[in-house]
């Protein structure tokens, strides 16, 4: 089974956005050495606790600082942009790092509602055009001229980065199937309904110029530590963060376990925290390995993407190391530097 990474460049307590991006770079280098398959970075706008707002730029930086791991976006919010321009940006990336680049796309706003207006000169993006945009993007990436305008996305090349459609519903799954692109379900966003969505994708998949068979994966929050007890301690901060996001609370950083455990929750909040655990896998390496394998089996996929947001940063690094060791991902050295 393949294991991959989704990093949202979280701003941890006691750090700032500059440090968060530095940590993303260190984590990419670390998981490359550990043998993880992909490393995707996200797009969030006007979000105080997440530093990643331009994944295509960050991916360029990360590809230059890693050796084997695939680098990609999780993902570019396509309705805000020109398909032609995105195609050219990723043709540059593919030319610099052939067969190592993924182009994940989504249609979410990527922040508060006003973000839509700020990114589109005061207008709302046309979500209805999203399927056509993806088709247009695929054509440009593969050297075609979809509108007969005598233009091509340059630089041209023999390889093209695969498009991955990111989603958390059956609608996105069916769209990915109809367009013939790869599909990634965000279990860490929606802990229910994903299995049926992936089945829908696999059942209705239609071949395209990109691929002839379906390819899917699932992403989930994971917190791994030496013991179940310590993993629960670390995960308490993520519990609090997810709850506050639901409540519309804006933070400049993610909370610490100490802050989370000292907080007094209402009965309703405790129920929400428990429900959000459907989006997470928490425990020691043996327990985490078992639950990751179960998740992959339920989704009928051979790849799970791990998103770990805990503090301090050293615990994030260790969590990925424990998982890599449990799955014997690599025989490379795992000495932190």
């Amino acid at each position: 089974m393949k294991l991959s990474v989704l990093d949202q460049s979280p701003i941890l307590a006691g750090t700032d956005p500059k440090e968060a991006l530095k940590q993303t770079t260190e984590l990419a280098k670390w998981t490359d050495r550990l043998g993880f398959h992909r490393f995707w970075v996200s797009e969030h706008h006007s979000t105080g606790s997440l530093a990643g707002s331009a994944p295509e730029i960050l991916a360029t930086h990360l590809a230059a600082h890693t050796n084997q791991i695939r680098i990609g976006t999780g993902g570019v919010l396509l309705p805000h942009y020109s398909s032609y321009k995105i195609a050219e940006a990723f043709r540059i990336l593919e030319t610099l790092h052939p067969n190592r680049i993924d182009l994940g796309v989504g249609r979410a706003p990527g922040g508060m509602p006003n973000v839509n207006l700020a990114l589109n000169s005061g207008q709302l993006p046309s979500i209805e055009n999203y399927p056509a945009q993806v088709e247009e993007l695929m054509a440009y990436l593969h050297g075609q001229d979809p509108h007969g305008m005598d233009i091509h996305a340059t630089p041209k090349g023999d390889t093209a980065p695969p498009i991955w459609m990111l989603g958390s519903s059956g609608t996105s799954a069916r769209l990915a199937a109809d367009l013939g692109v790869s599909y990634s379900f965000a279990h860490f966003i929606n802990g229910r309904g994903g299995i049926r969505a992936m089945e829908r994708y696999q059942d209705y998949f239609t071949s395209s110029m990109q691929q002839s068979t379906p390819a899917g994966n699932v992403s989930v929050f994971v917190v791994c530590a030496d013991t179940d007890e310590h993993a629960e301690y670390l995960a308490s901060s993520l519990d609090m963060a997810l709850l506050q996001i639901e409540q519309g609370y804006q933070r400049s950083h993610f909370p610490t376990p100490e802050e989370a455990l000292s907080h007094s929750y209402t009965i309703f909040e405790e129920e929400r925290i428990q429900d959000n655990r459907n989006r997470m896998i928490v425990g020691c390496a043996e327990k985490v390995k078992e639950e990751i394998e179960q998740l992959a089996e339920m989704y009928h996929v051979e790849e799970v993407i791990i998103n770990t947001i805990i503090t301090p940063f050293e615990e994030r690094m260790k969590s990925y190391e424990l998982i890599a060791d449990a799955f014997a991902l690599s025989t490379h050295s795992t000495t932190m530097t």
Side-chain angles (χ1 to χ4, degrees):
M1 186 168 63
K2 297 174 182 176
L3 294 182
S4 298
V5 180
L6 171 63
D7 185 66
Q8 297 174 288
S9 300
I11 302 172
L12 306 180
T15 69
D16 57 21
K18 180 178 180 180
E19 181 65 20
L21 294 178
K22 179 180 177 182
Q23 289 175 352
T24 291
T25 305
E26 290 303 311
L27 188 60
K29 293 161 63 176
W30 181 230
T31 52
D32 185 19
R33 291 177 57 195
L34 290 173
F36 282 83
H37 182 58
R38 307 179 203 276
F39 193 98
W40 286 356
V41 288
S42 61
E43 178 174 341
H44 292 87
H45 300 284
S46 191
T47 305
S49 58
L50 299 173
S53 58
E56 68 282 7
I57 293 177
L58 189 51
T60 304
H61 171 75
L62 297 177
H65 284 78
T66 52
N67 298 311
Q68 297 181 357
I69 196 168
R70 296 188 65 90
I71 300 294
T73 54
V76 171
L77 304 181
L78 193 57
H80 299 310
Y81 312 114
S82 156
S83 295
Y84 180 67
K85 180 59 178 175
I86 295 300
E88 289 206 316
F90 278 80
R91 286 248 36 101
I92 288 281
L93 265 170
E94 180 69 17
T95 303
L96 291 171
H97 307 282
N99 295 312
R100 284 189 58 210
I101 303 300
D102 297 322
L103 174 47
V105 299
R107 61 180 177 182
M112 301 299 288
N114 283 343
V115 163
N116 279 321
L117 300 176
L119 286 170
N120 293 277
S121 301
Q123 304 295 317
L124 292 176
S126 177
I127 302 300
E128 293 78 13
N129 291 335
Y130 180 60
Q133 270 195 293
V134 176
E135 286 187 297
E136 183 182 49
L137 177 62
M138 189 191 310
Y140 281 130
L141 287 171
H142 287 265
Q144 296 189 357
D145 178 14
H147 302 295
M149 297 172 62
D150 196 25
I151 62 170
H152 298 83
T154 54
K156 294 183 177 181
D158 296 330
T159 62
I163 296 173
W164 283 81
M165 184 168 289
L166 314 182
S168 57
S169 69
T171 302
S172 58
R174 182 56 191 268
L175 180 56
D178 290 343
L179 296 178
V181 298
S182 299
Y183 181 62
S184 180
F185 187 86
H187 188 93
F188 75 100
I189 293 176
N190 178 10
R192 306 181 190 278
I195 296 171
R196 181 67 192 103
M198 189 61 70
E199 288 176 349
R200 192 177 188 185
Y201 166 70
Q202 294 167 340
D203 289 345
Y204 289 95
F205 181 84
T206 302
S207 63
S208 68
M209 69 179 75
Q210 174 173 297
Q211 60 196 74
S212 59
T213 57
N217 62 38
V218 56
S219 52
V220 62
F221 283 122
V222 180
V223 178
C224 187
D226 287 325
T227 64
D228 289 344
E229 293 76 17
H230 191 53
E232 288 290 338
Y233 167 78
L234 295 171
S236 65
S237 61
L238 184 56
D239 288 333
M240 184 179 193
L242 295 179
L243 177 65
Q244 290 182 333
I245 290 170
E246 291 179 347
Q247 295 172 336
Y249 185 75
Q250 299 292 312
R251 298 186 62 109
S252 61
H253 62 272
F254 278 81
T256 64
E258 292 80 9
E259 180 182 355
L261 292 171
S262 65
H263 186 78
S264 180
Y265 298 101
T266 66
I267 293 177
F268 174 77
E269 288 175 332
E270 289 176 349
E271 289 176 351
R272 286 303 309 150
I273 287 173
Q274 189 59 41
D275 188 65
N276 280 333
R277 281 302 183 98
N278 290 315
R279 301 153 61 184
M280 302 165 60
I281 293 174
V282 179
C284 66
E286 182 180 0
K287 180 174 182 287
V288 164
K289 180 176 185 292
E290 180 180 352
E291 293 192 18
I292 287 177
E293 290 174 336
Q294 289 174 352
L295 186 71
E297 183 176 357
M298 289 189 297
Y299 273 84
H300 299 289
V301 296
E302 297 180 354
E303 179 182 4
V304 174
I305 300 181
I306 296 169
N307 183 0
T308 300
I309 303 179
I310 51 178
T311 186
F313 177 62
E314 289 73 21
E315 293 284 8
R316 291 183 72 208
M317 298 274 277
K318 185 174 182 180
S319 181
Y320 284 107
E321 180 182 10
L322 289 170
I323 295 168
D325 288 347
F327 281 89
L329 290 187
S330 175
T331 59
H332 295 301
S333 169
T334 57
T335 302
M336 272 194 239
T337 56

